[in-house]
Amino acid sequence: MTSHWDAIRRHWQLLGPPLRPPPDAVETYERELDLQSAHVLLLGVTPELADLGKTMLAVDESASMIASIWPGDTGTRKAVIGNWLDLPIASNSVDAVIGDGCLSALHSSTARLHLLAEIERVLKPGGRAGLRLFAGPEAPDDLAAVRELTLAGGVATFHELKWRIAMSCTGGYPDRAIKVKAILKAFDALFADREELSLATGWDMAVIGTIDVYATSQASYSFASAAVLVGEASRHFGRGRLAPTGTYDMVERCPLLVLEQPRR
């Protein structure tokens, strides 16, 4: 998985919403979790979230991502190498845990539940978590319809298209997982002529080419529905709710899962 993220970081600046959180999504974390005076744990090194909280510790498995994407350590924030499923911090030690798309970076329901248990462990009593989701629809989109919608100008960005394809090709519940190689395969089957896609949408060929890092990746993503993810979270938290994260394209599939009342 580390090698996958090492490849992703090389074209990080070409990525955009919904893959990266726009300003209105960042504001949602602050509004829903009241982070101003919080000691925060960030899962990953999402630079847009680096300035949230009174203090922040970011944990990422990839040294390359930390070196390339993280905006730098300061007196109040720091990034360290670590495994989300075995977080390198003490129990009951942070006020809030945040993450952007982190549940979809895991390949199974079992892994998601393991992460939720770790979040529960490290939170102080009364702590809260906010995780922006990439939630798949209850019924997958028809791929032929996705192609037609895209060529008609109904898909705003290439990154939205990637996620629509991925969410339509996942396996069954509860995992709803897909190998990233399979996302590339499905994309190539739908859009064999990339120049045609570029001309129809106005998307730069370099941006379309970002999907090619999936070719040699061994990683898998998961796109469970919001209802499934709320149900999984309920095993570790007494209260879970979904908050809208703005007005950007595909926002309806990217709510913030707000978790409160750790059950331990």
Side-chain angles (χ1 to χ4, degrees), residues 55-74:
T55 67
M56 175 174 288
L57 176 68
V59 176
D60 197 285
E61 68 175 1
S62 169
S64 295
M65 285 289 283
I66 293 173
S68 301
I69 307 306
W70 182 245
D73 292 350
T74 68

Side-chain angles (χ1 to χ4, degrees), residues 28-214:
T28 303
Y29 284 94
E30 178 62 60
R31 182 181 67 249
E32 296 295 332
L33 300 173
D34 190 21
L35 296 177
Q36 231 175 8
S37 60
H39 298 290
V40 179
L41 172 67
L42 170 62
L43 301 172
V45 286
T46 306
E48 291 87 348
L49 304 181
D51 291 325
L52 296 178
K54 181 178 181 180
T55 67
M56 175 174 288
L57 176 68
V59 176
D60 197 285
E61 68 175 1
S62 169
S64 295
M65 285 289 283
I66 293 173
S68 301
I69 307 306
W70 182 245
D73 292 350
T74 68
T76 58
R77 73 182 183 211
K78 180 181 180 182
V80 299
I81 297 172
N83 182 349
W84 293 348
L85 304 187
D86 186 17
L87 288 165
I89 64 173
S91 300
N92 308 321
S93 61
V94 295
D95 300 310
V97 177
I98 61 175
D100 205 69
C102 55
L103 292 177
S104 284
L106 302 176
H107 69 282
S108 68
S109 174
T110 298
R112 295 193 300 263
L113 287 167
H114 193 153
L115 176 57
L116 289 163
E118 274 292 276
I119 294 171
E120 176 192 20
R121 177 184 69 81
V122 302
L123 281 173
K124 295 177 181 178
R128 60 273 187 202
L131 310 174
R132 191 170 68 106
L133 305 181
F134 298 136
E138 292 290 347
D141 297 326
D142 177 75
L143 286 176
V146 170
R147 173 181 164 81
E148 182 178 347
L149 180 68
T150 302
L151 295 179
V155 176
T157 70
F158 179 69
H159 311 299
E160 177 187 345
L161 174 63
K162 266 194 303 194
W163 263 196
R164 286 188 180 276
I165 292 172
M167 291 173 179
S168 299
C169 296
T170 58
Y173 283 109
D175 294 343
R176 286 294 298 271
I178 181 170
K179 292 184 180 298
V180 298
K181 287 181 179 178
I183 302 172
L184 174 60
K185 183 178 180 180
F187 167 74
D188 283 338
L190 282 177
F191 300 98
D193 187 342
R194 294 188 182 186
E195 289 189 2
E196 176 193 28
L197 175 62
S198 179
L199 287 171
T201 60
W203 299 337
D204 191 276
M205 289 291 286
V207 174
I208 295 172
T210 59
I211 199 170
D212 289 327
V213 300
Y214 292 177

Side-chain angles (χ1 to χ4, degrees), residues 12 98 147 174 186 217 230:
W12 183 260
I98 61 175
R147 173 181 164 81
S217 176
V230 170

Side-chain angles (χ1 to χ4, degrees), residues 250-263:
M250 213 178 185
V251 69
E252 71 281 359
R253 300 189 189 184
C254 303
L256 187 70
L257 175 59
V258 180
L259 303 173
E260 299 169 311
Q261 301 171 8
R263 289 193 181 278

